[in-house]
Amino acid sequence: MDNLNEINHVIILAAGRSRRMEHLSKQNPKCLLKYNDEIILLRLIRQIQECGVKKIIVTTGYRHKKLEELLCQEQYSGVETVYNDLYEEDVNIYSMKLALERVEDSCAIFEADAIMEDAMVKYVLGADFNGKSVWFTRGCFKASQYGGILKADSRRNVTAIKIQPVFEPKYKSWHKLTGVMRIHKNELNPFKMILEEYAKSTIKQYYLMPWIDHISDLPSIYGDISPYSYYTFNKPEEYYQLQSINIDEVQPAGEVCYVDTDKLYGIEEFDSERVDILMKKIKSEKMWTVPIIVEKNNMLVLDGQHRLESAKRMNLKKIPALLVDYKDVNVWSLRAEEKVSKKMVIERALSYNIYPYKTVKHKFLFHVPDNLKIQLSELIS
């Protein structure tokens, strides 16, 4: 992540005991179990740190000393812990209260036992949702599910949230919540005040409850993470099943090549202010570090429109790019009111009828490298 993204603080809720996992987590919190030979909590912290987040707050409770000892290592200098001594009776509202006391700006919240791919963490913490409080969901509510769900209008504005103990057909159009959200600074202080009042009455409730009861005072949207791999587990058999799934397997990114800037087509509008900031960053570094992603048959810029505009304003004739086949890319819309498909993206780009800013989202089957060191002088001619 760079300074173009507003999330620099992340809360990880890790205080719970998880009695349903008792024989596996008797000596350690559930989040200290392993996935792909990596401790789940440390995996999440690594993913967040790789996005450039400066401050991570981990709430501890059950077996808190083990967590605190683990996180006092030098590589976790940006991680601080806050101990919830009421973890036995708290659902999670008190943990959230303690963590939010240390936050003064827009932040993101993760549950410590969630396992997700790197690309999803980047999506959650990235600039697509700047300026908004966001509840992340994984598709519509299904018969096998229970827990938090939300309803939204045609523009993704959240109109209702509830905790549903069992599936009921009347809620099948609602969206299933995950344990991931963003709180924008505009909603942060009002939410803190309401949360504190609720926590005074009882801590045997979810931190969702104050937001649920004050939905009109705390505007938010939902973000869809269903294109990404995301798993949670509450029972030993669910944990064992996850061990056979490898969500970290990705394809090689391919070779970075140079593409003429005047041969590329944008697919959506861009933010001029963001271009200015990015251009200053590139000039100060005196090198190009991240390639754009280009659909190879029609030369559409699938990712990197702001970098392309920066290159044009700097009079660069070439730009580092990864060429991809569109059939290997997932695409969806960030705006409920805008329909998106690969065919539509191509047709609109080639006819210069591009989408509004922050509409088209792509997921690639590889990690986009961010460590190129190409001198700008190589791109001038």
Side-chain angles (χ1 to χ4, degrees), residues 101-240:
E101 287 174 355
R102 304 191 181 194
V103 175
E104 297 298 332
D105 206 344
S106 302
C107 64
I109 295 98
F110 292 85
E111 292 181 346
D113 57 357
I115 300 171
M116 63 202 83
E117 61 179 300
D118 294 350
M120 178 184 153
V121 179
K122 291 179 181 179
Y123 177 58
V124 169
L125 299 179
D128 289 328
F129 301 102
N130 279 359
K132 303 287 185 180
S133 289
V134 188
W135 300 87
F136 290 93
T137 65
R138 46 179 169 175
C140 290
F141 194 33
K142 299 177 183 177
S144 60
Q145 297 173 329
Y146 60 91
I149 56 176
L150 68 77
K151 181 170 66 172
D153 65 20
S154 61
R155 302 185 72 86
R156 297 195 180 222
N157 298 305
V158 176
T159 58
I161 302 173
K162 69 176 299 179
I163 298 171
Q164 186 63 21
V166 295
F167 174 81
E168 294 182 40
K170 64 182 178 179
Y171 295 119
K172 65 182 181 180
S173 64
W174 288 48
H175 303 269
K176 181 68 182 75
L177 282 174
T178 65
V180 184
M181 74 172 297
R182 287 170 58 136
I183 303 176
H184 186 255
K185 60 184 179 182
N186 289 349
E187 287 74 56
L188 182 64
N189 286 331
F191 181 53
K192 280 185 181 180
M193 294 174 61
I194 301 168
L195 185 86
E196 187 165 352
E197 290 302 312
Y198 273 61
K200 286 179 182 177
S201 63
T202 177
I203 61 174
K204 293 184 180 296
Q205 58 180 322
Y206 293 99
Y207 73 79
L208 282 69
M209 296 310 300
W211 205 297
I212 290 173
D213 293 345
H214 295 81
I215 199 90
S216 60
D217 301 319
L218 299 167
S220 60
I221 65 170
Y222 79 89
D224 182 20
I225 58 97
S226 57
Y228 298 97
S229 296
Y230 170 85
Y231 299 94
T232 58
F233 57 95
N234 293 305
K235 301 175 183 178
E237 56 267 29
E238 293 173 342
Y239 171 70
Y240 292 133

Side-chain angles (χ1 to χ4, degrees), residues 2 54 63-64 93 108 113 135 237 265 277 280 340 367:
D2 54 44
K54 305 301 181 185
R63 304 288 187 187
H64 67 100
I93 191 171
D113 57 357
W135 300 87
E237 56 267 29
Y265 291 87
I277 296 172
K280 289 177 182 178
V340 168
H367 292 307

